[in-house]
Amino acid sequence: MCRVVDLKQAVLAKNDAAAHALRTELTARGTATVNLLSSPGSGKTALLECELLLARERGIAVAALTADLATENDAVRLARSGVPVKQVLTDGLCHLEAGMLGRHLDGWLPEATRLLFVENVGNLVCPASYDLGESLRVVLASVTEGEDKPLKYPTAFGLAQLVVVTKTDLAGPVEFDEEAFRAHVQQVNPGVEIVLTSARSGEGAGILLDRATAVAEGAATHTPVMARQASGQDTHAHDHGHGPDHGHGHGHDHTHPHPDPSRHVRPAAARTS
């Protein structure tokens, strides 16, 4: 008898195991990891640079790892903050994976690091599938991207534990509809916190750092409905995992298998380390 193997599920299950091991290791050493996801050009590098500078001013031991398909431009920018920074070139891979992250941290991440910020590859599809062993998953969107972004990428936004709006200094010129954006986020991820920031004007400066620090100190994180469904905690809630990225942005839940691959995702807060 032939056995049909779902290659995607096998790959994601392997990643989940690596993420669990990495989360356990980092937690044991007192390091909280923040996974930053967004589209290209969202302004996450500029915002992260500001947050790293603030962390240094406050005496918080931080480090940053940034991933890109090519060039070390982001690492050069972030290194200006004076904190440990490492560039990962994925050679065409559209996302980071837990095993890859672990290998790059080995022997590089300073032992006393309190917060590790991981700037994922600019992409709202593939990275949403992969748990990196993070303590906090953050999705960023700029006001220039439009209010319907959460509906176009429901998995990325639906699994976020914090949503950050960037480039708010441009909200007026681009006629950004904040109310509509908030409604769309809540449609796919009820109850998630949404914060407004601008690296240029300074609006929201330190919010990301504050939230990450709170998590490092043991604060509870938001558990998305999609995560509760995947873990079997919420069997009656409506599944919002639909839209143009259906079938691409979903991970595999190795603890609670389910035959429907579109409901296999659980972010860090919903897994047990």
Side-chain angles (χ1 to χ4, degrees):
M1 179 181 293
C2 294
R3 181 185 179 191
V4 178
V5 178
D6 187 324
L7 181 59
K8 180 182 178 182
Q9 289 188 23
V11 169
L12 292 173
K14 180 179 179 180
N15 180 81
D16 277 356
H20 175 82
L22 183 58
R23 180 179 297 107
T24 300
E25 176 187 344
L26 292 174
T27 300
R29 59 187 284 177
T31 302
T33 304
V34 182
N35 184 7
L36 303 174
L37 297 85
S38 78
S39 299
S42 68
K44 67 178 177 294
T45 305
L47 178 64
L48 181 54
E49 184 178 2
C50 294
E51 299 297 295
L52 294 178
L53 284 168
L54 277 175
R56 189 178 180 190
E57 291 176 7
R58 296 179 184 179
I60 302 172
V62 298
L65 182 145
T66 181
D68 212 339
L69 301 180
T71 84
E72 298 187 354
N73 295 349
D74 291 346
V76 171
R77 289 179 59 186
L78 295 178
R80 296 185 302 203
S81 65
V83 309
V85 173
K86 185 171 187 177
Q87 179 77 55
V88 173
L89 298 180
T90 64
D91 294 325
L93 190 64
C94 63
H95 59 275
L96 279 174
E97 296 180 4
M100 183 191 310
L101 176 60
R103 289 192 296 274
H104 282 282
L105 295 181
D106 187 29
W108 169 76
L109 186 67
E111 195 64 35
T113 302
R114 184 66 166 155
L115 297 175
L116 169 65
F117 288 94
V118 177
E119 183 179 13
N120 218 315
V121 180
N123 184 342
L124 282 176
V125 181
C126 302
S129 300
Y130 290 84
D131 177 9
L132 298 183
E134 67 259 25
S135 308
L136 180 67
R137 178 175 288 210
V138 182
V139 174
L140 303 89
S142 72
V143 299
T144 59
E145 296 178 69
E147 299 82 8
D148 61 347
K149 209 72 170 183
L151 302 182
K152 289 184 175 180
Y153 300 93
T155 301
F157 283 90
L159 288 170
Q161 293 166 303
L162 176 67
V163 173
V164 176
V165 179
T166 61
K167 302 185 182 181
T168 55
D169 54 295
L170 299 176
V174 300
E175 299 182 347
F176 177 66
D177 188 337
E178 181 184 338
E179 183 178 351
F181 179 83
R182 288 181 177 276
H184 294 156
V185 171
Q186 294 304 320
Q187 183 176 333
V188 299
N189 192 347
V192 69
E193 182 183 13
I194 303 169
V195 299
L196 307 180
T197 67
S198 168
R200 176 173 293 180
S201 72
E203 179 179 7
I207 289 181
L208 178 58
L209 181 60
D210 290 343
R211 299 299 183 271
T213 301
V215 170
E217 294 174 350
T221 55
H222 169 71
T223 303
V225 169
M226 288 178 64
R228 294 199 300 269
Q229 291 171 340
S231 65
Q233 298 175 34
D234 188 353
T235 57
H236 301 292
H238 176 65
D239 185 359
H240 293 285
H242 53 78
D245 72 338
H246 182 72
H248 298 283
H250 302 276
H252 174 68
D253 180 349
H254 59 83
T255 306
H256 299 276
H258 193 287
D260 179 2
S262 72
R263 299 178 63 189
H264 281 179
V265 182
R266 282 198 297 157
R271 290 191 176 100
T272 301
S273 297

